[in-house]
Amino acid sequence: MITFRRWTEADAAWYVEQAKDPEILRWTTDGPDLTVEFLRGRIAELTEESLAWLIVDAETGERLGNAAVDVKGGLAEPSYWVASSARGRGVATAALLEMCARARAAGAERVEVIIHRDNAASARVAGKVGFTEVESFDNPKLGPCVRYRLGG
C-alpha cells in the first residue's frame, strides 16, 4: 500500500541519489548532473496546489518514488519513477491510479501518459490502469515515444 506526501527539502538528497539509477536516467528527462542544491530550490517552489509528490510506503514511510502530474487546458500528463528497491511491488501501478484520480479531481478532462517506445515496464503499467495507445511520435527530450490515453 502506498500513499503520497509532499516533498520536503530534506528529501532532495534521496531524489538525486535515486535519479542516478541507469533505469531512471534512461526513461526520464533528469540528467546525471542533477544536484541537491538545484533540487532543493525546485522543492521550495512547490505549493500546496502543486501536483508533485513523493511516493511512500503507507505503513513504514519508506521513500519509494516520484510522482507528478502536469495539467494544462483540461489535459493531464502524469509522470513517475520508482526507486530500484521498490520495483516489482505494484508501486508504479498504484501510483499511476492515484495520479489519475488526483488529475480528474483537479479538473482534467483527459489523462495521457508519454512513454518511451522501448520502456516495456511502463507500457504494461499503463495498460493495467486502462490506458490505450494513441500515437507514436518523437519527443525532443525522450526520443521515440508512444502516447497513451486513459479510457481509449
Side-chain angles (χ1 to χ4, degrees):
M1 176 70 95
I2 65 149
T3 191
F4 289 172
R5 76 162 169 81
R6 294 287 173 193
W7 285 96
T8 68
E9 291 181 34
D11 298 316
W14 180 86
Y15 183 108
V16 169
E17 187 60 33
Q18 300 310 305
K20 293 177 184 176
D21 179 311
E23 286 300 299
I24 292 173
L25 287 171
R26 183 176 179 194
W27 307 125
T28 69
T29 58
D30 286 333
D33 56 349
L34 185 66
T35 67
V36 172
E37 296 75 25
F38 174 80
L39 197 61
R40 281 188 184 134
R42 294 296 307 258
I43 290 170
E45 294 172 359
L46 296 174
T47 68
E48 283 300 312
E49 292 77 35
S50 296
L51 301 180
W53 309 276
L54 177 64
I55 308 166
V56 298
D57 183 290
E59 292 182 19
T60 67
E62 174 191 4
R63 297 172 179 126
L64 303 174
N66 173 51
V69 180
D70 185 27
V71 180
K72 291 182 184 159
L75 172 65
E77 293 184 348
S79 60
Y80 58 91
W81 54 253
V82 175
S84 62
S85 62
R87 293 185 193 134
R89 298 175 11 198
V91 172
T93 302
L96 185 55
L97 282 165
E98 181 65 19
M99 285 186 284
C100 291
R102 292 184 185 211
R104 296 277 194 206
E109 298 165 9
R110 290 188 340 261
V111 182
E112 298 179 350
V113 291
I114 296 171
I115 300 172
H116 190 280
R117 179 187 64 212
D118 297 334
N119 190 340
S122 281
R124 280 192 304 274
V125 167
K128 288 179 190 176
V129 173
F131 285 83
T132 57
E133 186 175 328
V134 176
E135 69 174 333
S136 295
F137 68 102
D138 284 326
N139 181 294
K141 293 181 180 178
L142 296 172
C145 288
V146 177
R147 179 183 315 279
Y148 294 84
R149 183 170 296 144
L150 185 60

